[in-house]
């Protein structure tokens, strides 16, 4: 008997920190594309980023775990943070394919910024054959530029790229980090468990942060 195909959404991102926008997006893509599971993959050491400016992988992993644990359709993988050296998405998808015993179809979900940079990714042609891409963006964000670029990519690689506009993505990790640094509230922008984790581990505070009583 032919095995049925399992459709996985792969949510790749720095998640520094993960917030409600990421979670709403994942759930929305899962519903719209009829996916079975979403696997969150906190990025390891992507080629375009200086790891010194990013929070330690273990914290980003823990926060992603806390944020996703209550949803049975969400899973998390440490495949990238366990890898040494630069982490490339093409290697991640190949590793996931090997791990999957069943017939699997992958949908890589990521921000529009990253999609615009796709031509610079490692083995992009191979990658676009290994998985489908879902580009998520905030309302109004470089929409025209993104559409043009996506059309170009689709024609060049003869592949379809899904786009999705998510209002909740108005929330941004950068804004959350700035708010915490400036002592402003981040309530309701991220799950309470993640907020607690941030305060407990004193993430995103000024370097000279001291407790005041
Ligand atoms: P990022 O810095 O985490 O995010 C870039 C932008 O997209 C930010 O505005 C971010 O918003 C948003 N975003 C992040 N994750 C998202 C998601 N899953 N869905 C929707 N929006 C999202 O992203 P990045 O470091 O560029 O990496 C994104 C993914 O692409 C990672 O998995 C990374 O490994 C991969 N990547 C691979 C290569 C390569 O293989 N050569 C190169 C670049 C990136 P927030 O700040 O609010 O999260």
């Amino acid at each position: 008997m032919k095995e049925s195909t399992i459709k996985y959404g792969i949510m790749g991102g720095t998640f520094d920190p993960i917030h409600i926008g990421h979670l709403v997006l994942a759930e929305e893509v899962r519903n719209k594309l009829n996916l079975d599971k979403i696997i969150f993959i906190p990025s390891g050491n992507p080629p375009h980023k200086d790891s010194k400016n990013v929070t330690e992988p273990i914290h980003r992993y823990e926060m992603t775990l806390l944020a996703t644990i209550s949803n049975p359709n969400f899973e998390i993988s440490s495949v990238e943070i366990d890898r040494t050296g630069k982490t490339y998405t093409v290697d991640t998808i190949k590793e996931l394919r090997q791990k999957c015993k069943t017939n699997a179809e992958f949908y890589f979900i990521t921000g529009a910024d990253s999609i615009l940079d796709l031509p610079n990714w490692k083995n992009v042609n191979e990658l676009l054959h290994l998985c489908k891409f879902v580009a998520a963006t905030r309302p109004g964000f470089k929409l025209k530029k993104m559409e043009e670029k996506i059309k170009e990519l689709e024609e060049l690689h003869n592949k379809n790229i899904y786009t999705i506009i998510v209002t909740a993505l108005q929330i941004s990790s950068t804004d959350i980090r700035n708010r915490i640094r400036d002592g402003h509230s981040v309530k309701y922008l991220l799950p309470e468990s993640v907020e607690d984790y941030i305060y407990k581990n004193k993430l995103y505070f000024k370097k000279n942060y001291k407790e005041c009583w």
Side-chain angles (χ1 to χ4, degrees):
M1 204 169 70
K2 197 173 174 282
E3 265 183 277
S4 62
T5 301
I6 301 192
K7 290 161 85 177
Y8 292 101
I10 308 292
M11 240 343 237
T14 313
F15 302 134
D16 193 14
I18 188 161
H19 53 67
I20 296 294
H22 299 128
L23 300 169
V24 170
L25 163 69
E27 192 61 8
E28 211 161 307
V29 174
R30 193 178 71 78
N31 274 302
K32 280 204 172 133
L33 301 183
N34 217 358
L35 308 182
D36 296 288
K37 292 263 179 214
I38 303 284
I39 307 175
F40 285 74
I41 306 196
S43 58
N45 186 9
H48 63 305
K49 272 195 184 164
D50 182 352
S51 59
K52 287 199 288 291
N53 300 328
V54 178
T55 304
E56 277 173 72
I58 186 66
H59 286 311
R60 294 184 290 109
Y61 179 85
E62 293 279 341
M63 290 190 281
T64 308
L65 181 64
L66 287 169
T68 52
I69 205 154
S70 63
N71 187 333
N73 299 310
F74 287 175
E75 286 177 12
I76 168 169
S77 166
S78 60
V79 65
E80 285 208 353
I81 65 166
D82 291 343
R83 204 182 301 149
T84 51
K86 293 282 175 201
T87 41
Y88 298 97
T89 301
V90 67
D91 302 327
T92 304
I93 301 292
K94 279 190 200 161
E95 206 171 322
L96 292 178
R97 278 219 172 273
Q98 275 168 5
K99 280 188 178 157
C100 276
K101 299 212 170 43
T102 48
N103 284 338
E105 223 173 62
F106 294 115
Y107 294 73
F108 191 81
I109 310 159
T110 195
D113 287 6
S114 316
I115 296 282
L116 294 181
D117 186 48
L118 202 56
N120 301 321
W121 289 23
K122 183 181 162 189
N123 299 355
V124 63
N125 199 35
E126 184 184 11
L127 181 60
L128 281 162
H129 282 84
L130 286 170
C131 66
K132 299 175 200 299
F133 264 80
V134 183
T137 186
R138 308 177 159 99
F141 167 85
K142 295 182 198 161
L143 208 55
K144 199 157 163 31
K145 190 174 167 207
M146 185 179 99
E147 278 167 359
E148 283 167 11
K149 191 83 190 178
I150 285 179
K151 205 161 168 262
E152 267 174 41
L153 281 166
E154 286 182 324
E155 282 169 4
L156 186 66
H157 299 280
N158 195 20
K159 285 280 158 192
N160 186 22
I161 296 175
Y162 300 85
T163 49
I164 182 160
I165 300 166
V166 180
T167 311
L169 273 184
Q170 291 288 18
I171 301 171
S172 94
S173 299
T174 306
D175 176 53
I176 289 175
R177 292 196 300 274
N178 290 342
R179 280 172 187 243
I180 294 171
R181 187 200 56 208
D182 298 341
H184 298 145
S185 170
V186 290
K187 223 172 218 345
Y188 311 121
L189 299 177
L190 55 162
E192 221 172 299
S193 53
V194 177
E195 192 186 344
D196 289 348
Y197 185 95
I198 291 171
Y199 290 126
K200 211 166 137 198
N201 291 280
K202 300 189 172 66
L203 304 182
Y204 313 125
F205 284 85
K206 285 179 190 149
K207 288 243 162 32
N208 61 354
Y209 169 80
K210 285 196 186 100
E211 268 177 309
C212 306
W213 301 98

